Amino acid sequence: MAVDSDRGASASSKTPFWYDPRFRAIFFQILTVVLVVAGIGYLVSNVMTNLERQNIASGFGFLQREAGFAIAESMVSYSAADTYGRAFIVGILNTFRVALLGIVLATIIGVLVGVARLSTNWLIAKLASVYIEVLRNIPLLLQLFIWYGVITVSLPGPRQAMSPVEGIYLSNRGFMIPAPVADPIHAYMGIAALLALAAGYLIRRWAKQRQIDTGKQFPVYKTSLGLLILFPAIAWVLGGAPTVMELPTLQGFNFRGGLTLTPEFAALLFGLTFYTAAFIAEIVRGGILAVSHGQSEAAFALGLRKGMVLRFIVLPQALRIIIPPTTSQYLNLTKNSSLAVAIGYPDLVSVGNTTLNQTGQAIEAITIFMAVYLTLSLTISLIMNWYNRAIALVER
Amino acid sequence: MKLKSILAAGAVVAVAGAALPAAAQSMVETITDRGELNCGVSTGLAGFSNPDSEGNWTGLDVDVCKAIAAAILGDADAVSYTPATAQQRFTILQSGEVDLLSRNTTWTLTRDTSLGLHFAPITFYDGQGFMVPRELGVTSALELDGAAVCVQPGTTTELNLADYFRANGMEFEPVVIEQLDEVNAAYFSGRCDVYTTDASGLASIRSTVAENPEDHMILPELISKEPLGPAVRQGDDEFFNIVKWVVYALIEAEEYGITSENVDDMRENSDNPGVQRLLGASAGMGENLGLSEDWAYNAIKQVGNYGEIFERNVGVDTPLGLERGYNDLWTRGGLMYAMPVR
């Protein structure tokens, strides 16, 4: 013992300190930090020096100045007299809108196609295969151009608009439908819908407990769906049942009034949705195939019906495999929405590029892009990771 | 140990590098060493900067680049062209990717100041106009309330458009697309009722892209002033002077009646001291600019005077068919007025 510790002590005193693994570990960590900080500092100071030398203005003060350019579609009120800051908000909301809708639609289509590809029906399986192979092997930008071209070239002008039903028009200016005239009751209907969702959640909890206690089942989904329709309907009737609709009408060059789905938004949404759905379909198929066949055989042996096997045995296990790669696809979809600039949908990048060009504040605008996409992506990641943990296999 | 010292040295160099200003070499030296002028042009606008069927760049803006290359390097073909969209153009100039931007760019206060640019004299006086399909039955821009308007982003056009509709209490739906080809496609497919850009640009697009140019008309109103000229970075006044005076020399040459054809004759035989100064027969002007005395001679000999450049690229005998108008010499009632070369 004594000899050993003695030898250790003498060895360490003879070894130069740079051969000491503890010293090395700390030294290289510090070195890495210093290098990274120095690298960033070098870039920042270089940029500042160069901007100053070339007399290029910098800073975020421009966000308060009047933008002076118009934006085609906006979820909040915006005019050319508003500020660059507000223009950015319009762009961010437009990006958010297309990303959110795209994620929901791509998930639905992706799951359907993924399951269809595993179908025992030859035609359905082949159609799903063709869809996936074609869509995911053509660059998204081309698909956007195709969608945009199809919509603007093949549809007639507003004066010859197709009108399958009175009040609904389809032309190369978009898809116009009547919209209810704004009424304060709409807000209450929204609240009623939220209440219905809460009620549905409570019913589900109660039904589950009852099934555990008594074995009796309760039609949770049908009841919840009924409530979701009933609650807002009651609010609507209580509010005097306003039925005034605003019809899109042809005035001068274009339709006014009603709701419009613009060609730019439609092309971007279709492009993103169908492209991403092809990838999600493959992930879903992989996830389902990864669940051991013995699982469903065992479930059938217990007398479960086909739908129940899928719902209670296969999908819960497949989901654990499906969620992480699907999260990546959601992130891809969100980031790909920046291709909007090619077809004129006023998303964050489109609005930001215009701002960048009018003000010349390239670094500031790009910083805003990065911050927004990073925030959006991290938020999606957080939600999906939380969901992933919620459905993870609980092991003892 | 060795690794550590290398890394440490690297860190020191990196930190020190930040404090050191970039080695100062003047633009003219850089261009002479490189043997060619880097010129930023449009992605394809007939009459101004457009590659022809053999891939050679032609147009009024391109000829300005050529004249400057001829003045500095003695060779009008020693130009490397970088096509840039409306959005990329200032960045490629600021970052030093090009020496000069000659790309139908409007001179405005903001660009002159916050973008850190210097604009050389105007090479084309333009104004923003509207193009509509004839079948629309519109005769004035004031009838455009509610129209969908195709426009390229990052241009003064986009701002003028919003200003004009605001000033006249009209609404419009902007269709903003970055690539010129895609905006053209959107207009000609009927996505927009109206196409707006500089009137010369409309003429160019109508003559080259429209299936039948007669089906489209340019409305009479010009809603803005669009003085187009070459721009350089701030910080090298010597190069800025050269760009400025080459453009003046082209205009001055037209005033004196010097063309690419008679320039040799004029240099040998002209008694006019102004002509002698301009063409370097009497020395001094080139030296002041830091160039050889035949700077203007080379530019005029190889590219032609301003009038020749105009007529060759956008004049009445070209598909664009533009009159001189504001772009005529001041002596004939236009705005082209060269400062005296003396």
Side-chain angles (χ1 to χ4, degrees):
Chain A
M1 272 303 270
V3 179
D4 271 351
S5 72
D6 211 59
R7 226 168 53 193
S10 66
S12 70
S13 66
K14 273 177 203 160
T15 321
F17 66 91
W18 55 82
Y19 284 129
D20 184 344
R22 277 168 310 165
F23 169 77
R24 284 193 159 192
I26 294 170
F27 173 74
F28 280 110
Q29 287 184 48
I30 291 174
L31 187 69
T32 311
V33 171
V34 167
L35 278 181
V36 168
V37 170
I40 295 174
Y42 172 68
L43 290 176
V44 169
S45 84
N46 225 359
V47 164
M48 299 308 285
T49 318
N50 281 333
L51 287 182
E52 206 162 312
R53 194 160 50 86
Q54 297 181 25
N55 292 330
I56 300 173
S58 62
F60 285 94
F62 70 98
L63 288 175
Q64 260 92 55
R65 291 212 302 268
E66 184 185 288
F69 60 90
I71 300 178
E73 44 193 309
S74 166
M75 291 163 75
V76 291
S77 73
Y78 171 85
S79 80
D82 283 315
T83 60
Y84 284 116
R86 192 163 180 92
F88 263 108
I89 291 173
V90 170
I92 292 168
L93 287 176
N94 280 341
T95 292
F96 189 69
R97 173 168 75 145
V98 79
L100 193 70
L101 267 175
I103 284 174
V104 171
L105 292 178
T107 310
I108 296 171
I109 298 172
V111 169
L112 289 179
V113 175
V115 172
R117 200 174 178 184
L118 292 172
S119 166
T120 45
N121 182 320
W122 185 86
L123 184 66
I124 290 178
K126 285 297 160 212
L127 275 179
S129 307
V130 170
Y131 167 86
I132 290 168
E133 294 307 339
V134 170
L135 268 282
R136 72 171 177 171
N137 287 314
I138 297 177
L140 179 55
L141 186 60
L142 283 183
Q143 294 192 29
L144 291 181
F145 283 142
I146 293 170
W147 281 110
Y148 192 52
V150 164
I151 292 171
T152 52
V153 176
S154 64
L155 292 176
R159 291 181 193 183
Q160 295 84 36
M162 294 192 261
S163 179
V165 185
E166 180 62 32
I168 294 180
Y169 298 97
L170 190 60
S171 73
N172 63 10
R173 300 301 155 81
F175 183 52
M176 284 84 178
I177 53 167
V181 173
D183 194 290
I185 203 66
H186 294 152
Y188 291 107
M189 287 169 72
I191 295 170
L194 286 181
L195 282 177
L197 286 179
Y201 175 73
L202 291 176
I203 291 172
R204 194 178 136 215
R205 265 181 51 175
W206 166 80
K208 201 169 179 183
Q209 191 57 46
R210 194 177 79 141
Q211 191 177 359
I212 291 169
D213 292 343
T214 66
K216 284 181 192 157
Q217 291 188 348
F218 184 80
V220 177
Y221 291 103
K222 280 178 197 163
T223 318
S224 305
L225 194 66
L227 288 181
L228 199 57
I229 296 169
L230 189 67
F231 276 28
I234 292 173
W236 180 67
V237 171
L238 287 180
T243 52
V244 189
M245 296 292 271
E246 190 185 43
L247 291 176
T249 44
L250 189 63
Q251 263 178 26
F253 295 100
N254 211 339
F255 288 95
R256 298 196 184 182
L259 280 178
T260 304
L261 181 67
T262 64
E264 289 79 23
F265 179 70
L268 183 64
L269 183 64
F270 291 166
L272 286 175
T273 301
F274 289 115
Y275 179 77
T276 313
F279 289 92
I280 293 181
E282 280 300 84
I283 294 169
V284 168
R285 183 176 74 109
I288 292 175
L289 285 180
V291 177
S292 155
H293 191 53
Q295 295 277 327
S296 30
E297 279 183 341
F300 283 126
L302 287 172
L304 294 181
R305 271 171 283 129
K306 208 171 175 181
M308 294 170 86
V309 174
L310 196 66
R311 214 171 94 203
F312 295 122
I313 310 294
V314 178
L315 275 185
Q317 299 186 67
L319 264 185
R320 292 182 195 124
I321 304 161
I322 291 171
I323 294 301
T326 307
T327 308
S328 301
Q329 291 305 324
Y330 289 174
L331 297 179
N332 280 346
L333 187 146
T334 309
K335 287 176 287 182
N336 284 341
S337 71
S338 61
L339 289 173
V341 71
I343 53 167
Y345 175 69
D347 78 326
L348 170 66
V349 175
S350 170
V351 171
N353 272 347
T354 299
T355 305
L356 183 162
N357 232 274
Q358 305 296 6
T359 60
Q361 318 258 277
I363 291 166
E364 290 81 357
I366 304 282
T367 309
I368 294 177
F369 289 173
M370 292 198 298
V372 169
Y373 280 109
L374 195 64
T375 312
L376 262 184
S377 297
L378 286 179
T379 311
I380 294 172
S381 270
L382 267 177
I383 295 172
M384 293 305 284
N385 285 344
W386 166 81
Y387 184 60
N388 196 28
R389 271 197 306 278
I391 59 160
L393 192 62
V394 184
E395 288 183 333
R396 273 179 286 249
Chain B
M1 194 59 194
K2 209 172 190 179
L3 176 73
K4 192 180 72 176
S5 44
I6 291 171
L7 287 174
V12 170
V13 169
V15 175
L20 287 173
Q25 195 189 16
S26 80
M27 287 288 295
V28 178
E29 282 167 357
T30 314
I31 293 165
T32 317
D33 287 352
R34 198 196 294 134
E36 62 180 12
L37 175 75
N38 287 342
C39 206
V41 292
S42 78
T43 51
L45 183 65
F48 288 87
S49 43
N50 202 26
D52 66 13
S53 56
E54 286 161 16
N56 300 315
W57 284 89
T58 59
L60 190 139
D61 287 339
V62 167
D63 282 347
V64 171
C65 296
K66 287 185 170 177
I68 292 161
I72 298 175
L73 301 165
D75 179 6
D77 291 326
V79 187
S80 157
Y81 299 98
T82 304
T85 65
Q87 302 217 336
Q88 299 157 344
R89 56 185 164 178
F90 299 121
T91 316
I92 64 167
L93 180 61
Q94 288 168 340
S95 64
E97 205 177 317
V98 296
D99 308 320
L100 169 78
L101 190 70
S102 182
R103 190 205 170 284
N104 51 295
T105 298
T106 308
W107 185 353
T108 68
L109 185 145
T110 307
R111 289 173 177 176
D112 222 351
T113 54
S114 77
L115 294 191
L117 304 184
H118 275 318
F119 279 85
I122 300 311
T123 51
F124 194 91
Y125 289 94
D126 211 338
Q128 182 177 345
F130 294 106
M131 178 161 71
V132 293
R134 239 173 242 286
E135 59 173 22
L136 215 54
V138 173
T139 53
S140 158
L142 291 168
E143 296 165 25
L144 292 176
D145 193 15
V149 184
C150 274
V151 59
Q152 264 194 295
T155 54
T156 48
T157 313
E158 202 182 359
L159 302 177
N160 297 332
L161 173 69
D163 283 357
Y164 182 77
F165 277 78
R166 257 164 86 189
N168 290 295
M170 302 191 295
E171 286 176 21
F172 73 105
E173 180 200 358
V175 178
V176 182
I177 303 180
E178 184 178 3
Q179 289 289 339
L180 188 62
D181 293 342
E182 299 299 326
V183 199
N184 292 345
Y187 170 72
F188 288 107
S189 73
R191 171 65 186 93
C192 316
D193 304 300
V194 189
Y195 194 142
T196 185
T197 184
D198 297 345
S200 62
L202 292 176
S204 161
I205 289 159
R206 184 171 70 161
S207 72
T208 51
V209 187
E211 258 175 55
N212 186 0
E214 285 307 303
D215 290 348
H216 300 271
M217 62 180 284
I218 295 168
L219 297 178
E221 287 93 345
L222 290 186
I223 65 167
S224 70
K225 290 182 288 188
E226 303 287 336
L228 311 179
V232 298
R233 276 187 301 282
Q234 288 178 7
D236 193 323
D237 293 354
E238 186 194 4
F239 182 61
F240 175 49
N241 280 339
I242 291 172
V243 173
K244 193 158 59 179
W245 285 99
V246 169
V247 175
Y248 284 145
L250 297 176
I251 300 170
E252 184 101 328
E254 190 186 5
E255 236 177 89
Y256 285 129
I258 309 170
T259 66
S260 55
E261 259 129 54
N262 68 9
V263 64
D264 288 306
D265 180 46
M266 292 285 263
R267 181 157 75 159
E268 308 255 318
N269 305 323
S270 175
D271 299 330
N272 186 334
V275 174
Q276 288 179 348
R277 268 197 303 275
L278 182 63
L279 297 180
S282 59
M285 298 300 116
E287 193 191 331
N288 286 345
L289 285 172
L291 298 174
S292 69
E293 292 299 341
D294 52 6
W295 62 283
Y297 166 81
N298 283 336
I300 297 160
K301 171 79 183 163
Q302 297 181 30
V303 186
N305 68 32
Y306 180 76
E308 290 178 88
I309 293 173
F310 187 97
E311 294 302 338
R312 184 193 318 145
N313 294 303
V314 296
V316 283
D317 296 331
T318 64
L320 268 71
L322 301 178
E323 302 281 344
R324 282 295 287 269
Y326 289 131
N327 296 299
D328 214 335
L329 291 179
W330 63 287
T331 48
R332 295 195 290 258
L335 291 172
M336 285 297 165
Y337 182 104
M339 305 306 137
V341 178
R342 69 181 312 135

